[in-house]
Amino acid sequence: MSNQDIQLTVDAVVFGYESVPRISVLLIKRKYEPFKDSWAIPGGFVLNEESLEDAVYRELKEETGVEIGYLEQLYTFGKPGRDPRQRIVSVAYFGLVRPDTYKISAATDAQEVQWFDIHDLPELAFDHAEILETAIKRLRAKITYEPIGFELLEERFLFSDLENLYKTLLGREIDRRNFRKKIMSLGMLNELDEKVSKGAGRPANLFQFDKKRYFQLKEEGIVFEI
Amino acid sequence: MSNQDIQLTVDAVVFGYESVPRISVLLIKRKYEPFKDSWAIPGGFVLNEESLEDAVYRELKEETGVEIGYLEQLYTFGKPGRDPRQRIVSVAYFGLVRPDTYKISAATDAQEVQWFDIHDLPELAFDHAEILETAIKRLRAKITYEPIGFELLEERFLFSDLENLYKTLLGREIDRRNFRKKIMSLGMLNELDEKVSKGAGRPANLFQFDKKRYFQLKEEGIVFEI
DNA sequence: GCAAAAGTGTTACAATTACACCCATGT
DNA sequence: ACATGGGTGTAATTGTAACACTTTTGC
């Protein structure tokens, strides 16, 4: 009927955030040809009876041990020749994980898995550089109009963490006062009654993103926007 | 290596605009099972050596005669069971055509091809209702932050056409004066020295979208936004 | 001369930006 | 007491929203 010899894979571009601060991405070192020993985005073939999302979760778990918190479809890459052996079309996803997951997987170093600063990347296999670039663009754009930044922070976080995340990701200075006013005026953050000291300086309050409230507000047509 | 029996297709959700006004979408009536005689989004199998985009252009041309002006990837649909016979993953695209193309293809009615008002749709085959819904959402969202509306109008158009397009697509009234001020302040439209009369009322000026200027402004960080 | 659509400005209000000092803690 | 990061308010500017009358044509 269609005389096709096209294979289907999924790839997962997973980002993390450390308060160094840096945005990092999870890569694996390939064990087999082609591109043996090159770094690559984790991923693999989709099984006959599993959904694309299931395939991403499975591959990611198998290859890196990471369980993802936030995941969305990014783009489908299908140029002939992107894999030197055969025609492979890959549905790329883009995901975010919290620092706790982050540390665990960096420790689970049995396989060759590593977090890389997105500003200090190795050469990548296949067209993975392009995929990664697409994902970074999406991430940067998306934190300004959807509250996905919180998926990169611990559940309870300092306001300064949020601020630094935005500064790092947007690559520019942010006015602390205005940023705080804006975020607070959205009414999606709960201020907790707990303070944390980072060793130096005045202890800071912990905050929590209120997902329920966010969806309520979204219903009412109020949109997240920085 | 991967024991896959997944087939890959592309689908093209193509929108047009008539100054009735209505937004319409191009559908075909299926000739074969499954869903024989149902309406469906045009599309088909990707050939082994062609890119996904090439496949969309080809299928669309073959099935509807339409040559697309604007095309972008929409989303990839891959749930098992979306095709009753076999596992098929479909990369959906979303496209826009100008009214001239529009009329030609509506006339080229040899095959069962038809434009449907997006508010008056037939039952659709497979999961095509979901695909179409995704595409409509994207279109609605996108005209507010990218100048793709112009791809639905003739190259030279009346300001009122643009206004009606936005009114129709956004489904709400627009203040004519504010809309004009805003669009004009972007500096992406050329006002031509030609007037057109629509039978009744004062003749209106023709306008043209200045793509070069748009890309210049985009470089400078000025963004289109309504 | 009247019906129909095009064209145009001003004012009130809301949102955004710019900007600097005091506070609470650890050492 | 000083170094460090946390927390806060106001004024100027800019952008957005609301609003109605005049102009040009066809009939």
Side-chain angles (χ1 to χ4, degrees):
Chain A
M1 173 177 190
S2 65
N3 185 33
Q4 270 186 332
D5 192 23
I6 301 180
Q7 297 291 314
L8 191 72
T9 61
V10 286
D11 287 314
V13 183
V14 177
F15 294 107
Y17 173 69
E18 283 171 296
S19 39
V20 174
R22 66 172 206 175
I23 308 287
S24 47
V25 63
L26 190 60
L27 299 177
I28 59 157
K29 196 172 212 167
R30 288 180 57 83
K31 280 188 173 162
Y32 309 105
E33 293 294 346
F35 294 101
K36 185 168 181 303
D37 298 325
S38 281
W39 290 95
I41 296 165
F45 291 97
V46 177
L47 302 181
N48 286 335
E49 323 242 302
E50 93 191 318
S51 73
L52 302 176
E53 282 77 14
D54 288 347
V56 182
Y57 283 112
R58 180 182 51 73
E59 286 287 349
L60 201 58
K61 189 78 195 298
E62 283 174 20
E63 293 193 342
T64 70
V66 167
E67 288 189 63
I68 200 88
Y70 175 87
L71 190 79
E72 69 173 54
Q73 195 181 298
L74 174 64
Y75 197 79
T76 298
F77 295 82
K79 263 201 309 286
R82 53 181 294 281
D83 186 301
R85 295 159 302 174
Q86 55 183 313
R87 179 76 189 276
I88 294 191
V89 170
S90 180
V91 184
Y93 281 76
F94 129 81
L96 305 176
V97 294
R98 300 221 148 112
D100 41 332
T101 315
Y102 191 101
K103 274 153 203 152
I104 288 163
S105 87
T108 311
D109 213 19
Q111 276 188 281
E112 283 257 54
V113 183
Q114 206 179 299
W115 289 99
F116 286 87
D117 187 322
I118 59 166
H119 293 112
D120 190 12
L121 293 167
E123 284 266 312
L124 294 180
F126 306 105
D127 57 353
H128 287 189
E130 186 189 347
I131 297 179
L132 187 43
E133 197 188 330
T134 306
I136 292 172
K137 262 189 214 153
R138 174 89 131 246
L139 173 59
R140 260 198 249 280
K142 198 140 187 173
I143 53 153
T144 69
Y145 63 87
E146 301 239 9
I148 59 173
F150 305 106
E151 303 293 338
L152 286 168
L153 301 174
E154 319 238 22
E155 200 168 323
R156 302 147 84 243
F157 53 87
L158 303 179
F159 208 92
S160 57
D161 290 335
L162 186 64
E163 199 188 301
N164 284 320
L165 170 61
Y166 273 83
K167 254 200 310 216
T168 308
L169 210 38
L170 300 178
R172 56 178 164 85
E173 285 308 302
I174 289 178
D175 183 286
R176 283 198 307 139
R177 281 175 286 190
N178 293 341
F179 182 73
R180 189 166 181 133
K181 244 183 298 174
K182 196 149 177 189
I183 294 276
M184 282 313 182
S185 72
L186 294 170
M188 298 167 185
L189 284 197
N190 296 328
E191 185 162 3
L192 304 177
D193 273 343
E194 198 174 337
K195 291 193 201 303
V196 163
S197 175
K198 282 216 280 190
R202 174 175 174 175
N205 229 307
L206 281 171
F207 290 83
Q208 201 167 22
F209 177 60
D210 189 339
K211 227 174 208 176
K212 275 202 203 95
R213 184 92 185 101
Y214 165 61
F215 284 115
Q216 269 177 28
L217 290 167
K218 202 173 175 182
E219 289 289 308
E220 296 167 25
I222 291 159
V223 292
F224 180 90
E225 203 195 331
I226 300 299
Chain B
M1 172 176 190
S2 65
N3 186 32
Q4 268 186 334
D5 191 24
I6 301 180
Q7 296 291 313
L8 191 72
T9 62
V10 286
D11 287 313
V13 182
V14 178
F15 294 106
Y17 172 69
E18 283 171 296
S19 39
V20 173
R22 66 172 208 176
I23 309 288
S24 46
V25 63
L26 191 61
L27 299 176
I28 58 158
K29 196 172 214 168
R30 288 180 56 85
K31 279 188 174 164
Y32 309 105
E33 292 295 347
F35 294 101
K36 185 169 181 305
D37 299 325
S38 281
W39 290 96
I41 296 165
F45 291 98
V46 178
L47 302 180
N48 286 335
E49 324 242 301
E50 91 192 318
S51 71
L52 302 176
E53 282 76 14
D54 287 348
V56 182
Y57 283 112
R58 181 182 50 73
E59 285 288 350
L60 200 59
K61 190 76 194 299
E62 283 174 19
E63 294 194 340
T64 71
V66 167
E67 288 189 63
I68 201 87
Y70 175 88
L71 190 79
E72 69 173 55
Q73 194 180 297
L74 175 63
Y75 198 79
T76 298
F77 295 83
K79 262 202 309 288
R82 53 181 295 280
D83 187 301
R85 295 161 302 175
Q86 56 183 312
R87 180 75 190 275
I88 294 190
V89 171
S90 180
V91 184
Y93 280 77
F94 130 80
L96 305 176
V97 294
R98 300 220 149 113
D100 41 331
T101 315
Y102 191 102
K103 274 153 203 155
I104 287 164
S105 87
T108 311
D109 213 21
Q111 277 189 282
E112 283 257 55
V113 184
Q114 205 179 300
W115 290 99
F116 286 87
D117 188 321
I118 60 166
H119 293 112
D120 190 13
L121 292 168
E123 284 265 313
L124 293 181
F126 307 105
D127 57 352
H128 287 191
E130 186 189 347
I131 298 179
L132 188 42
E133 197 188 330
T134 307
I136 291 172
K137 263 189 214 151
R138 173 90 132 246
L139 174 58
R140 260 198 251 280
K142 198 140 187 174
I143 53 154
T144 70
Y145 64 88
E146 300 240 7
I148 60 172
F150 304 106
E151 303 293 337
L152 286 168
L153 300 173
E154 318 239 20
E155 200 169 323
R156 301 147 84 242
F157 54 86
L158 303 179
F159 208 91
S160 56
D161 290 336
L162 185 64
E163 199 188 300
N164 284 320
L165 170 60
Y166 274 83
K167 255 200 310 217
T168 308
L169 211 36
L170 300 179
R172 56 177 165 85
E173 286 307 301
I174 290 177
D175 183 287
R176 283 198 306 137
R177 281 174 287 190
N178 292 340
F179 182 73
R180 187 166 182 136
K181 245 182 295 173
K182 197 150 176 189
I183 294 276
M184 282 312 181
S185 72
L186 295 169
M188 297 168 185
L189 285 196
N190 296 328
E191 184 162 5
L192 305 178
D193 273 342
E194 198 173 338
K195 293 192 198 305
V196 163
S197 176
K198 281 216 278 188
R202 175 173 173 176
N205 229 306
L206 281 171
F207 289 82
Q208 202 167 19
F209 177 62
D210 190 338
K211 226 173 209 176
K212 275 202 203 95
R213 185 92 185 101
Y214 165 62
F215 285 114
Q216 269 177 27
L217 291 167
K218 201 173 174 184
E219 290 288 308
E220 295 167 24
I222 291 159
V223 292
F224 180 90
E225 203 194 332
I226 299 301

